[in-house]
């Protein structure tokens, strides 16, 4: 009977090696032989512990994202009763920590690439990942932005603001090699992430306020036109 502690050790070695290999060469190009060689385990270990390369890949991606979200929650400890601008900052801070912190995805170069690959070329498990991690986070951001936009908010305006907010966070992660060459900055330490959080929050709040004003003006326009025309609808 296998030793339980040995089982955990072997499984973790496989998970770590697989994350690196999948991240570097992608799911299709990765081989079980290469993963086992990198993990320093027997070639039959993947089938024994995970059943197949497909199941291993699903486990690696889910485990990586789950651990990152657990370490840096979406709400960053802020309550739903907090003002929307406070909740927005917490959301942005959590996203940046997950993407840029050494304890987040950037701390695993291969695994970090794995997530980028998954986003660019989705696997059959993308729907599961969206439903388990992304959709709940998006719902939180939707509520924050809807509150900031006010009573005239509509689904399209909310969605566009959502994409604009999270897009800024992702850009600092995916374009890091370019940004480091252009600006010579390192956005992975705590102080840099905090400063970046403040910047993206201010920028986003200003943009959302502008959208709110545009929505309000669009609502008032027909009424003003009617007044100019002597009240004719």
């Amino acid at each position: 009977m296998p030793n339980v502690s040995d089982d955990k050790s072997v499984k973790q070695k496989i998970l770590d090696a697989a994350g690196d290999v999948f991240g570097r060469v992608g799911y299709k190009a990765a081989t079980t032989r290469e993963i086992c060689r990198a993990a320093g385990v027997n070639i039959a270990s993947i089938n024994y512990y995970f059943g197949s390369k497909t199941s291993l890949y699903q486990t690696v991606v889910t485990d990586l994202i789950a651990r990152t979200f657990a370490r840096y929650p979406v709400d960053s400890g802020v309550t739903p009763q907090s003002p929307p601008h406070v909740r927005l900052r917490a959301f942005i801070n959590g996203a940046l920590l997950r993407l840029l912190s050494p304890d987040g995805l950037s701390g695993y170069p291969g695994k970090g690439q794995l997530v980028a690959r998954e986003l660019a070329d989705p696997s059959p498990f993308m729907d599961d990942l969206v439903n388990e991690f992304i959709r709940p986070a998006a719902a939180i951001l939707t509520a924050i932005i809807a509150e900031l936009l006010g009573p005239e908010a509509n689904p399209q305006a909310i969605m566009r603001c959502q994409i604009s907010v999270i897009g800024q966070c992702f850009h600092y992660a995916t374009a890091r090699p370019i940004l480091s060459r252009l600006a010579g900055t390192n956005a992975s330490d705590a102080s840099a992430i905090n400063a970046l959080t403040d910047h993206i929050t201010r920028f986003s709040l200003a943009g959302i306020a502008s959208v709110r004003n545009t929505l309000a003006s669009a609502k008032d326009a027909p009424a003003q036109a009617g007044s100019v025309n002597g009240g004719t609808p």
Side-chain angles (χ1 to χ4, degrees):
M1 180 177 179
N3 183 286
V4 174
S5 62
D6 287 347
D7 271 6
K8 289 182 179 178
S9 174
V10 172
K11 287 183 72 172
Q12 194 56 55
K13 285 179 180 178
I14 295 172
L15 287 171
D16 289 339
D20 237 17
V21 174
F22 284 137
R24 283 189 291 102
V25 304
Y27 170 75
K28 292 177 182 176
T31 65
T32 55
R33 184 177 296 278
E34 182 181 6
I35 293 169
C36 289
R37 183 169 59 247
V41 299
N42 186 282
I43 187 64
S45 298
I46 287 178
N47 284 337
Y48 179 79
Y49 288 103
F50 298 97
S52 65
K53 185 179 88 168
T54 300
S55 178
L56 172 61
Y57 179 82
Q58 182 178 19
T59 302
V60 168
V61 176
T62 303
D63 179 68
L64 174 62
I65 296 178
R67 280 194 288 167
T68 306
F69 269 86
R71 183 174 289 116
Y72 298 117
V74 174
D75 59 13
S76 293
V78 172
T79 69
Q81 290 73 40
S82 299
H85 68 279
V86 173
R87 283 156 35 219
L88 180 64
R89 188 193 185 283
F91 184 96
I92 292 169
N93 187 239
L96 290 174
L97 286 168
R98 288 191 296 276
L99 292 167
L100 301 176
S101 170
D103 293 328
L105 295 177
S106 71
Y108 305 94
K111 291 183 179 180
Q113 293 175 34
L114 170 60
V115 174
R117 284 181 180 275
E118 181 63 26
L119 293 173
D121 184 18
S123 73
F125 312 118
M126 174 59 86
D127 287 343
D128 294 334
L129 296 174
V130 167
N131 289 330
E132 186 172 354
F133 301 105
I134 309 304
R135 199 179 300 281
I140 291 173
L141 186 56
T142 294
I144 295 169
I145 290 175
E147 191 172 345
L148 288 167
L149 286 177
E152 305 310 318
N154 60 65
Q156 186 179 64
I158 293 171
M159 179 194 68
R160 286 174 174 171
C161 288
Q162 276 184 306
I163 294 171
S164 296
V165 170
I166 202 65
Q168 293 177 80
C169 300
F170 268 99
H171 185 69
Y172 279 95
T174 57
R176 180 181 293 187
I178 296 173
L179 295 176
S180 65
R181 286 165 173 78
L182 288 176
T185 57
N186 176 18
S188 63
D189 64 82
S191 61
I193 291 175
N194 194 53
L196 194 54
T197 297
D198 287 338
H199 167 72
I200 293 177
T201 302
R202 283 194 301 269
F203 197 88
S204 299
L205 286 172
I208 293 169
S210 178
V211 174
R212 177 176 178 141
N213 291 336
T214 300
L215 293 172
S217 298
K219 181 193 177 187
D220 292 339
Q224 292 171 356
S227 175
V228 169
N229 293 325
T232 304

